């Protein structure tokens, strides 16, 4: 690890110390946004980690971003340690850095460094996992696009000032290929043509995830991000890092839960010995730890390949499957280790359980990640 990478870990660790599990318990319970945490991330330069220096960022790579996310998540913040950086720095910063033109970079990247929040509007109620079935349509009229449609489960849309919006610009039946005809737009928020309604959910209650209704939204042509109709290929440069981010989160939550369980198992004594001395308690935690560390290396490899401009879909999807299963095993057995207290809000494990369960179904579901591995790594026929 080089000096800069060690500094990232050190800085993330210092932030994590100021935002302990009690802070997150309160934010989750009261459904309040962690303003103080966000300000600390911005102040430390974390929103600009991957943004070039010329726009005020740290000009580092996805690998360093993963180190920051892992540290924040595993040292105390749980999913929040990854979540907010992913929304703004990956969805906004990375998408624009990769595919924005000079005007777009100058307009948005310095603001993202200073804490402008972003969101990504991809999922639709009728398309779900099948992004190519996107129905939201952008129609060119004069110098602008008029956009109509609906998005769902858009995290951070209630607060963000910027949105990367995925639409069709060519209807699927007219596109030469199913993968052509999607385009990306940069949209400034709030906008009277966009209605945002939060969805009540199971966890991560310190951040809202929303339905988004778009009616006659007018967007200047120059707000298109990257080439028209090539949006499917462009967005993969954001979705793979998103997968890597959530793998970092899954492993990080697992490590956090294991630490809590170990601490508890060392001091809890019910039959004359600490419960941590029983193999039934010890081995599942040890196994989860081994699997998390293995998944972590695979995720580093995915990030390394991405940073080198090499294909990384195989590693990103395999790391996601492995990290989530290992993380789920860790949190599940942490809950068993704490017995009844594992179910009590005060001990935090139940919150991490709610958080880690999201990562099995988003950003990519376990099934779709496995379908990718089956087809592209194993060479089996497409399963759907
Ligand atoms: C809290 C939260 C935050 C989110 N944030 C965002 C966000 O910020 N931006 C955004 O765009 N989206 C976001 N999402 C959406 C998320 O990415 C999707 O929910 C997820 O991709 C699954 O889509 P779906 O819910 O429509 O499931 P569906 O596509 O309806 O799938 C349902 C089930 O069927 C399975 N399935 C479907 N097709 C196949 C197949 N061919 N083979 C095998 N199994 C299959 C799936 O794996 C899944 O288990 C968020 C979701 C949640 C819950």
């Amino acid at each position: 690890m080089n000096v800069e990478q060690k500094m990232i870990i050190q800085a993330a660790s210092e932030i994590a110390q100021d935002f302990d599990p009690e802070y997150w318990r309160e934010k989750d319970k009261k459904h309040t946004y962690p303003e103080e945490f966000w300000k600390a991330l911005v102040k430390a330069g974390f929103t600009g980690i991957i943004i070039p220096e010329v726009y005020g960022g740290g000009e580092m790579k996805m690998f360093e971003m993963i180190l920051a996310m892992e540290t924040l998540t595993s040292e105390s913040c749980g999913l929040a340690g990854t979540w907010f950086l992913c929304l703004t720095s990956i969805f906004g910063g990375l998408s624009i850095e990769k595919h924005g033109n000079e005007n777009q970079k100058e307009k948005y990247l310095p603001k993202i460094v200073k804490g402008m929040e972003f969101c990504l509007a991809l999922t639709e109620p009728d398309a779900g996992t099948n992004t190519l079935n996107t129905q939201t349509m952008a129609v060119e009229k004069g110098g602008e696009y008029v956009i109509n449609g609906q998005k769902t489960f858009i995290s951070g849309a209630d607060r963000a000032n910027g949105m990367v919006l995925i639409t069709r610009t060519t209807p699927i039946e007219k596109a030469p290929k199913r993968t052509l005809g999607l385009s990306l737009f940069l949209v400034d928020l709030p906008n009277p043509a966009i209605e945002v309604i939060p969805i009540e959910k199971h966890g991560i209650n310190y951040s809202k995830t929303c339905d988004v209704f778009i009616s006659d939204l007018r967007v200047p042509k120059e707000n298109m991000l990257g080439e028209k109709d090539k949006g499917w290929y462009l967005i993969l440069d954001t979705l793979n890092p998103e997968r890597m981010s959530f793998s970092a989160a899954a492993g990080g939550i697992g490590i956090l839960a294991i630490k809590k369980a170990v601490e508890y198992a060392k001091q809890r004594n019910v039959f004359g010995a600490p419960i941590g001395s029983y193999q039934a308690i010890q081995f599942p935690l040890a196994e989860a730890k081994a699997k998390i560390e293995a998944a972590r290396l695979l995720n580093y490899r995915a990030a390394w390949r991405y940073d080198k401009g090499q294909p990384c879909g195989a590693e990103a999807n395999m790391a996601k499957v492995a990290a989530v299963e290992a993380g789920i095993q860790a949190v599940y057995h942490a809950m068993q280790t704490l017995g009844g207290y594992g179910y009590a809000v005060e001990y935090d494990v139940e919150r991490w359980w709610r958080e880690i369960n999201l990562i099995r179904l988003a950003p990519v579901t376990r099934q779709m990640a496995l379908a990718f591995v089956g087809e592209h790594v194993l060479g089996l026929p497409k399963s759907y």
Side-chain angles (χ1 to χ4, degrees):
M1 214 162 283
N2 65 31
V3 176
E4 277 186 334
Q5 291 161 349
K6 284 184 188 153
M7 279 168 62
I8 285 275
I9 292 175
Q10 174 68 25
S13 192
E14 281 167 16
I15 296 175
Q17 280 167 28
D18 290 337
F19 298 95
D20 59 11
E22 199 176 334
Y23 174 85
W24 294 107
R25 201 185 309 143
E26 280 305 296
K27 293 289 170 193
D28 190 62
K29 203 191 282 181
K30 295 187 175 150
H31 293 226
T32 43
Y33 184 82
E35 299 281 359
E36 310 81 359
F37 176 70
W38 181 244
K39 281 188 187 139
L41 288 182
V42 175
K43 192 169 167 216
F46 275 40
T47 50
I49 287 180
I50 49 176
I51 290 178
E53 276 178 10
V54 60
Y55 305 107
E59 197 156 331
M60 286 182 245
K61 300 277 186 191
M62 201 47 214
F63 185 73
E64 284 77 20
M65 180 57 93
I66 293 295
L67 294 179
M69 289 170 164
E70 273 183 354
T71 308
L72 289 163
T73 301
S74 66
E75 290 203 2
S76 69
C77 304
L79 186 52
T82 297
W83 181 265
F84 296 101
L85 283 176
C86 186
L87 299 191
T88 281
S89 308
I90 306 294
F91 292 167
L94 189 66
S95 307
I96 297 169
E97 199 275 312
K98 276 269 164 194
H99 300 298
N101 59 34
E102 201 40 52
N103 287 341
Q104 292 166 340
K105 288 182 185 178
E106 274 173 20
K107 178 174 175 192
Y108 291 106
L109 296 183
K111 288 188 191 162
I112 289 175
V113 173
K114 290 188 186 132
M116 174 188 188
E117 293 175 42
F118 252 83
C119 62
L120 175 79
L122 173 72
T123 306
E124 296 193 357
D126 293 334
T129 295
N130 186 2
T131 302
L132 299 179
N133 208 18
T134 291
Q135 307 289 311
T136 298
M137 193 69 207
V139 179
E140 197 176 345
K141 276 190 189 152
E144 58 185 11
Y145 280 91
V146 180
I147 306 179
N148 281 286
Q150 185 185 341
K151 297 285 175 181
T152 191
F153 290 121
I154 309 308
S155 300
D158 57 311
R159 295 176 46 97
N161 290 120
M163 171 189 272
V164 174
L165 174 64
I166 290 92
T167 76
R168 275 222 160 255
T169 31
T170 302
I172 196 160
E173 56 284 1
K174 290 195 182 150
K177 259 165 83 174
R178 280 168 55 77
T179 47
L180 289 173
L182 291 171
S183 299
L184 315 181
F185 289 92
L186 291 169
V187 179
D188 294 325
L189 297 175
N191 186 305
I194 300 183
E195 190 184 3
V196 174
I197 301 180
I199 298 167
E200 205 175 328
K201 59 182 168 23
H202 183 49
I204 322 162
N205 293 317
Y206 41 74
S207 174
K208 292 189 168 54
T209 293
C210 311
D211 275 322
V212 171
F213 300 90
I214 305 167
S215 318
D216 286 333
L217 169 69
R218 289 171 185 277
V219 178
K221 262 165 94 171
E222 57 265 26
N223 282 32
M224 185 177 281
L225 182 64
E227 211 178 322
K228 187 182 172 204
D229 285 341
K230 300 273 176 67
W232 167 250
Y233 301 99
L234 305 179
I235 200 63
L236 290 178
D237 283 334
T238 301
L239 298 185
N240 279 322
E242 183 194 25
R243 276 163 212 190
M244 295 168 207
S245 303
F246 278 83
S247 298
I253 295 171
I255 297 285
L256 189 55
I258 289 172
K259 274 194 288 191
K260 179 90 179 182
V262 166
E263 209 177 276
Y264 186 83
K266 278 184 183 165
Q267 53 81 25
R268 178 70 168 169
N269 188 325
V270 277
F271 285 101
I275 57 167
S277 64
Y278 305 133
Q279 292 182 355
I281 293 292
Q282 198 177 106
F283 284 11
L285 295 173
E287 190 182 335
K289 167 77 174 159
K291 289 179 178 169
I292 288 172
E293 294 301 336
R296 191 177 196 179
L297 289 180
L298 186 52
N299 200 34
Y300 286 168
R301 186 171 158 77
W304 185 85
R305 287 181 67 89
Y306 182 84
D307 291 342
K308 295 266 178 257
Q310 296 176 9
C312 62
E315 290 77 9
N317 281 286
M318 290 192 292
K320 166 92 177 22
V321 172
V324 172
E325 293 317 302
I328 283 186
Q329 182 177 348
V331 184
Y332 175 82
H333 286 289
M335 196 176 259
Q336 298 304 307
T337 302
L338 268 76
Y341 300 98
Y343 211 68
V345 172
E346 194 190 334
Y347 286 76
D348 301 307
V349 181
E350 66 78 35
R351 185 176 77 259
W352 300 328
W353 179 245
R354 286 184 280 120
E355 291 185 350
I356 202 152
N357 270 285
L358 170 72
I359 312 178
R360 208 184 232 164
L361 54 90
V364 62
T365 66
R366 170 177 158 77
Q367 294 83 351
M368 295 315 285
L370 288 173
F372 183 97
V373 176
E375 186 184 345
H376 298 285
V377 180
L378 304 183
L380 289 167
K382 193 176 172 84
S383 62
Y384 57 96

